[in-house]
Amino acid sequence: MNNSRPEEFVLLGFADRPWLELPLFAILLITYPMAMVGNMAIILVSKLDARLHSPMYFFLTHLSFLDMCYTTSIVPQMLLNLGSAKKTISYVGCAAQLYFFHTMGGTECLLLAVMSFDRYMAICKPLHYILIMKPRICILMISTVWLTGITYASSEATATLQLPLCDLNKLDHLLCEIPVLIKAACGEKAANELTLSVVCIFMLAVPLCLILASYACIGHAVFKIKSSEGRKKAFGTCSSHLIVVFLFYGPGISMYLQPPSSISRDQPKLMALFYGVGTPVLNPFIYTLRNKEVKAALGNLVRAIFASK
């Protein structure tokens, strides 16, 4: 192995504030199963309830699956980091986490934009919705989203792993993340910082602008709906999606659209806790509490389980 690449990394985490480790460990131990159960419930009801076999819930199923993979790629490592004295991860494990975590993150950025397009077509172009959002088109869109996310993660992670570390194996973080590895690297890294910023403009800023433009059109169309029940339903569905958008994009933009060298010491750790744990836990509750169709489907599923018993 190249001398500039250590066999393992030491993840410092909150080593300077050990009193934080036990509370964070307990919080993660509670929220991680909640995120898994909540997102699994969304996937199950979307598949089992025939009334939810529509493009909106097709994309929501993929969002829940992404959230499950997203949080699984980092939370087990965080739990090991916080719950033991040995806070290390192998070089291979770090590289795998880097690829997996950023694949899920990049894919979710684009998926949220696709979901906003789906809502735009359903509300602003209802007569064309069935013609455009066919199952074949939806599968093509989701395949493109996944392929783009994988391409982004592969290129950025590979470029980051090529940076020399000069025998430095300590990362001031809870996990392996591209900006933190760039910051820890030695030598010339301006090109990596510039590339990361440019790519993240296309992965974060452009989709967010498209989402906001879609919802500006949706808001204009909703106010034209004469039925108060129709307006309420449209606002309920769209507000749930907008809340998820801001919860996801806010931390992502603050972390990735600035040079890694300017990132503060605690920012990566707090952001990782928020978008790696907070968002996957909150998403199922947001979609469930604000969506009558999902609540009804969950109720039917629970009743069916108890009836079978």
Side-chain angles (χ1 to χ4, degrees), residues 9-23:
F9 289 102
V10 177
L11 298 171
L12 298 177
F14 293 100
D16 57 333
R17 279 164 286 183
W19 55 271
L20 269 175
E21 293 187 349
L22 183 59

Side-chain angles (χ1 to χ4, degrees), residues 127-181:
L127 298 179
H128 299 90
Y129 183 73
I130 297 175
L131 295 174
I132 294 175
M133 301 303 289
K134 293 178 180 179
R136 186 176 60 183
I137 301 297
C138 291
I139 292 170
L140 179 62
M141 291 170 75
I142 206 70
S143 302
T144 304
V145 163
W146 274 99
L147 184 60
T148 307
I150 292 169
T151 303
Y152 150 73
S154 300
S155 58
E156 279 300 314
T158 301
T160 302
L161 290 171
Q162 299 303 314
L163 287 170
L165 296 171
C166 303
D167 295 326
L168 297 174
N169 71 330
K170 292 183 178 179
L171 299 178
D172 193 13
H173 203 3
L174 292 160
L175 61 133
C176 292
E177 200 169 359
I178 287 175
V180 176
L181 279 169

Side-chain angles (χ1 to χ4, degrees), residues 32 71-81:
Y32 177 57
T71 192
T72 300
S73 69
I74 62 172
V75 172
Q77 179 60 48
M78 286 184 181
L79 288 170
L80 286 173
N81 189 301

Side-chain angles (χ1 to χ4, degrees), residues 43-100:
I43 292 172
L44 282 174
V45 297
S46 298
K47 293 293 184 183
L48 297 177
D49 196 311
R51 292 171 298 177
L52 303 184
H53 291 175
S54 67
M56 174 184 169
Y57 295 103
F58 171 75
F59 295 129
L60 181 57
T61 299
H62 280 267
L63 179 65
S64 294
F65 177 72
L66 269 172
D67 279 340
M68 290 172 64
C69 296
Y70 197 51
T71 192
T72 300
S73 69
I74 62 172
V75 172
Q77 179 60 48
M78 286 184 181
L79 288 170
L80 286 173
N81 189 301
L82 295 168
S84 64
K86 188 180 180 183
K87 305 178 187 301
T88 60
I89 183 172
S90 67
Y91 181 84
V92 174
C94 181
Q97 188 178 67
L98 205 66
Y99 283 105
F100 199 72

